[in-house]
Amino acid sequence: MSDLRLFNTLTRKQESFTPLEPGHARMYCCGPTVYNVVHIGNLRTFLWADLLRRFLEWKGMKVTMVMNVTDIEDKIIRDATKAGVDIFTFTAPYTQVFFENLDTLRIRRADLYPKATDHIPEMVDIVKKLEARGHTYAADGSTYFRISTLPGYGKLSQVELAPESSLSRVENDEYEKEDARDFVLWKAKKEGEPSWQTELGDGRPGWHIECSAMAMKYLGETFDIHTGAVDLIFPHHENEIAQSEGATGRPFVRYWVHGEHLVVEDAKMSKSAGNFFTLPDLIAQGNSALEIRYALLAVPHRTKLNFTKHSLEDAKSALARIESFAIRLDELAKGSDDRTAVRGAELAQRFLRDFEDGLDDDLNTAAALGALFSMIREANTAADRGELAPADAIVLRAALDRADLVLDIVRREKVVLDADIEAMIEARAAARKRRDFKESDRLRDELLAMGIVLEDTPQGVRWRRK
Ligand code: AMP
Ligand code: ZN
């Protein structure tokens, strides 16, 4: 079995992926901050994380995948206060929309979706460990991480001094810090804000500590993969490393995998900028969920994705090509010719090898889809020449289905073939002839259930799709 090579932000290199525990990969994905509906930029990031999980499984690994739901953080508190409701009431509908969108886009659910507010004791525990190891200081009832106490601070983002622009998310957390780059672990209670009475005082967690606590609780102090989009490299992931490694003295994450943004006219799609599309919007405009899925996965995760009408049109025609190929294979498979598979078997084998090679190369979905379309082109030519026996079609269809375990872009509803419908209509006519009305009615009902309407005409029975 060939190795998957992933670009690791920590080393700035592609590395062969081997999980810490043989055959079992553990991954943590930064999930949504549920102060608004998810947009398709967020969904792009969740989609490739699922693709990575599916591909590891495809290669025979067991995968444990955890994705957090950030349900307490500055913007949530700000907007819940504005709406005059508590944070739980405020975040519940956005959390629900997030799950609905995952299902619509065929993004498989992670094994676990821990919520930050359910893990306050675990966060306090880490802060206490950091305190004991001399990494913190208190000011005005808040607890901060003193980054000068950790020699490796900055190893992920490789920032010497954080550029001004990257400091904005830190500044949100700012109370009485000694160094601008220090960050808050525990914030003192503020009037009107939700708070927890803990050993650290009355207050609430900083944003970064949430992920360290949930990741280590479910995946261990050292685990394999951590994902997110590039905006999270600094400060969020840098600070996750500082807190986790500061508390345990062990490496936190082995492979840091970051994806590029989805952009619209060169601007990052973001909730705060308000330039975002949602999945329901795009569907209401007449795009199918499968087309959107295809458009999102066709661009490899480390390449910026410029989301345009054009990308959706391309997705539509690519999917149509795949679907008509699948139908053609199903028709061919019905033939009575019993030659063994030769040409089809050869094409299927080459396709699966190229498909895997493509994804092995840092999850290069463009190369994997390229392999699929080469296979389709060559198989169509072979079929035109009568070189494909039913056995070939069956082998090719099996290869398509195997690749689809990762891609999940082939329509699942059973495609009803014209030939099947005509065979059923003939069977119904025969039943009527022998006055077996029970059978003829059953066939008519079955056809109706498939959306086929029958019309008796002087020329015989005609049919159409509803
Ligand atoms: P948030 O809900 O803002 O915490 O983001 C959830 C996930 O979506 C994180 O991994 C972000 O890095 C990612 N993300 C945010 N904006 C975009 C974007 N425009 N394109 C791709 N991923 C994004
Ligand atoms: Zn996170």
Side-chain angles (χ1 to χ4, degrees):
M1 187 177 60
S2 55
D3 269 352
L4 163 64
R5 295 174 311 281
L6 287 173
F7 183 88
N8 187 351
T9 311
L10 192 60
T11 56
R12 300 288 198 272
K13 281 199 308 250
Q14 262 201 25
E15 293 173 13
S16 263
F17 176 73
T18 39
L20 201 56
E21 179 192 329
H24 183 181
R26 290 180 172 81
M27 64 191 278
Y28 183 87
C29 312
C30 283
T33 307
V34 281
Y35 77 105
N36 205 332
V37 291
V38 282
H39 57 63
I40 54 159
N42 304 131
L43 289 166
R44 175 196 193 191
T45 296
F46 304 145
L47 199 155
W48 68 251
D50 175 42
L51 201 85
L52 171 56
R53 182 257 294 263
R54 287 176 184 240
F55 187 52
L56 290 169
E57 288 181 352
W58 199 82
K59 291 172 87 70
M61 260 175 250
K62 172 178 152 95
V63 182
T64 301
M65 178 177 180
V66 175
M67 179 179 281
N68 70 298
V69 173
T70 300
D71 63 347
I72 175 152
E73 153 296 347
D74 293 340
K75 293 189 292 306
I76 292 175
I77 296 171
R78 179 195 69 195
D79 292 357
T81 309
K82 225 187 280 172
V85 292
D86 65 72
I87 55 166
F88 302 102
T89 311
F90 182 73
T91 54
Y94 299 127
T95 309
Q96 194 192 333
V97 167
F98 159 69
F99 284 119
E100 284 168 8
N101 281 199
L102 292 187
D103 294 347
T104 307
L105 268 189
R106 297 187 180 182
I107 297 175
R108 269 177 50 205
R109 301 271 181 116
D111 296 289
L112 209 64
Y113 289 96
K115 285 186 172 181
T117 52
D118 291 333
H119 295 79
I120 305 292
E122 288 83 352
M123 298 174 202
V124 172
D125 201 48
I126 296 177
V127 179
K128 282 173 59 194
K129 283 195 182 127
L130 289 170
E131 241 169 36
R133 295 169 78 115
H135 291 299
T136 67
Y137 58 92
D140 280 352
S142 296
T143 308
Y144 296 92
F145 189 99
R146 194 193 307 273
I147 66 159
S148 61
T149 61
L150 202 76
Y153 187 85
K155 66 182 174 187
L156 180 73
S157 51
Q158 302 184 0
V159 281
E160 288 290 319
L161 251 178
E164 277 304 306
S165 60
S166 321
L167 280 173
S168 56
R169 216 149 184 179
V170 182
E171 277 160 9
N172 285 335
D173 285 344
E174 202 164 31
Y175 286 45
E176 289 299 324
K177 292 188 294 188
E178 290 176 6
D179 179 323
R181 294 170 308 155
D182 289 345
F183 59 92
V184 73
L185 296 162
W186 186 258
K187 296 183 171 197
K189 179 184 165 72
K190 265 193 184 172
E191 213 31 61
E193 288 192 348
S195 65
W196 285 261
Q197 185 70 53
T198 73
E199 288 171 62
L200 303 170
D202 203 0
R204 64 177 173 98
W207 172 42
H208 314 301
I209 194 76
E210 302 179 2
C211 283
S212 286
M214 293 183 271
M216 291 198 289
K217 171 165 183 180
Y218 296 108
L219 300 171
E221 291 179 347
T222 303
F223 59 91
D224 299 303
I225 301 174
H226 195 313
T227 70
V230 288
D231 55 297
L232 298 186
I233 297 173
F234 186 86
H236 186 49
H237 291 163
E238 192 70 66
N239 292 351
E240 275 189 45
I241 295 177
Q243 297 159 154
S244 309
E245 299 190 353
T248 67
R250 300 215 177 113
F252 176 47
V253 168
R254 302 173 63 239
Y255 301 84
W256 282 95
V257 182
H258 291 102
E260 260 299 342
H261 286 137
L262 181 145
V263 297
V264 202
E265 285 153 20
D266 284 330
K268 177 194 164 200
M269 180 170 286
S270 78
K271 293 176 221 175
S272 48
N275 64 339
F276 65 85
F277 301 137
T278 68
L279 184 61
D281 287 346
L282 290 170
I283 289 174
Q285 286 164 20
N287 305 292
S288 75
L290 225 45
E291 284 155 20
I292 300 162
R293 177 177 173 85
Y294 186 97
L296 294 181
L297 67 70
V299 178
H301 70 292
R302 293 187 55 248
T303 306
K304 265 196 191 132
L305 193 163
N306 192 13
F307 195 80
T308 58
K309 230 177 133 78
H310 197 71
S311 48
L312 286 168
E313 280 159 13
D314 285 351
K316 198 185 189 91
S317 62
L319 288 173
R321 239 184 313 158
I322 296 169
E323 185 166 348
S324 54
F325 179 64
I327 293 175
R328 185 171 196 186
L329 291 179
D330 292 346
E331 295 270 15
L332 279 169
K334 296 199 156 155
S336 52
D337 168 353
D338 60 3
R339 276 178 297 161
T340 51
V342 180
R343 180 77 178 124
E346 175 192 300
L347 287 173
Q349 198 180 17
R350 175 144 49 89
F351 159 58
L352 286 176
R353 193 198 57 214
D354 293 349
F355 176 81
E356 184 167 5
D357 281 352
L359 292 178
D360 274 343
D361 180 15
D362 200 24
L363 225 53
N364 187 342
T365 48
L369 288 168
L372 173 61
F373 288 111
S374 297
M375 187 258 280
I376 292 178
R377 207 171 37 247
E378 289 180 64
N380 275 330
T381 308
D384 293 344
R385 293 189 188 136
E387 289 169 12
L388 297 188
D392 287 294
I394 290 166
V395 174
L396 284 164
R397 180 69 212 230
L400 178 63
D401 290 345
R402 171 130 178 82
D404 204 46
L405 291 172
V406 180
L407 300 174
D408 211 347
I409 50 176
V410 176
R411 212 202 280 269
R412 276 193 211 124
E413 307 86 74
K414 192 174 172 316
V415 179
V416 187
L417 305 174
D418 290 4
D420 289 338
I421 295 164
E422 272 147 25
M424 283 172 76
I425 291 171
E426 264 172 42
R428 176 172 166 267
R432 276 164 60 143
K433 223 176 189 166
R434 61 174 191 270
R435 310 189 67 78
D436 181 353
F437 297 113
K438 205 168 149 217
E439 175 64 0
S440 74
D441 286 352
R442 189 192 67 77
L443 284 163
R444 163 164 283 221
D445 290 347
E446 197 176 315
L447 283 159
L448 256 177
M450 285 157 47
I452 307 302
V453 183
L454 301 184
E455 282 156 11
D456 289 308
T457 72
Q459 289 79 35
V461 178
R462 289 254 174 87
W463 65 272
R464 62 183 168 82
R465 290 175 200 267
K466 251 201 294 204

